[in-house]
Amino acid sequence: MESAQPIVCECQPAALKRAPTNLIDNAVKYGKRARAAIRSTPQAIEITIDDEGPRIPKDELTRVFQPFYRVEGSRSRETGGIGLGLAIALSVVQAHGGRLTPSSRPEGGLRASITLPL
Ligand SMILES: Nc1ncnc2c1ncn2[C@@H]1O[C@H](COP(=O)(O)OP(=O)(O)O)[C@@H](O)[C@H]1O
Ligand SMILES: [Mg+2]
């Protein structure tokens, strides 16, 4: 059983919450569903958001962080966004000294990992 100890982070909460919110929003929109997990180590807090969407080609994985960039196939206005969610998530995480790393899951879909230093 995982411990249910609260994880305490000194941060700008209104800004920082945009990061997991935007990632979960994307996972639901492009990846069918979101599975979020949080854990802490003595040095850092790690938040991962997994989805079950299509594989994003490796070269696209870095480009999706550019403002207004949207992968072919999600450019339709029907999916709503304008391509700022990941750029905002990245800048907020970096402003807190953290990292935001996207990777392809072996099972398919995307994993977004946020690491915040404690
Ligand atoms: N979980 C995901 N699975 C597949 N593609 C994604 C995922 N998250 C983001 N993307 C791609 O990255 C692009 C940029 O994402 P984002 O910055 O949140 O902008 P928006 O959601 O407004 O389009 C999306 O348009 C989509 O093509
Ligand atoms: Mg988005």
Side-chain angles (χ1 to χ4, degrees):
M1 211 32 197
E2 300 266 331
S3 92
Q5 291 293 315
I7 296 172
V8 180
C9 173
E10 231 174 87
C11 66
Q12 295 180 293
L16 187 57
K17 83 174 181 195
R18 299 288 295 278
T21 303
N22 289 358
L23 294 170
I24 289 169
D25 185 58
N26 282 350
V28 170
K29 209 165 11 171
Y30 308 112
K32 292 195 206 133
R33 72 183 65 165
R35 182 186 295 265
I38 183 164
R39 68 183 199 111
S40 66
T41 67
Q43 297 82 29
I45 297 172
E46 292 172 13
I47 301 167
T48 56
I49 291 134
D50 290 356
D51 68 44
E52 297 170 15
R55 181 170 294 274
I56 304 184
K58 208 167 180 204
D59 56 327
E60 297 271 29
L61 273 183
T62 47
R63 261 182 266 162
V64 289
F65 287 108
Q66 294 168 15
F68 304 111
Y69 187 84
R70 307 190 73 209
V71 177
E72 202 59 57
S74 61
R75 293 191 201 274
S76 152
R77 299 301 310 148
E78 279 153 42
T79 52
I82 55 165
L84 283 178
L86 286 176
I88 290 168
L90 179 63
S91 88
V92 160
V93 167
Q94 287 178 338
H96 284 80
R99 279 175 294 136
L100 169 53
T101 319
S103 57
S104 287
R105 300 172 64 226
E107 307 90 327
L110 187 80
R111 161 165 293 188
S113 303
I114 298 172
T115 308
L116 296 163
L118 279 176

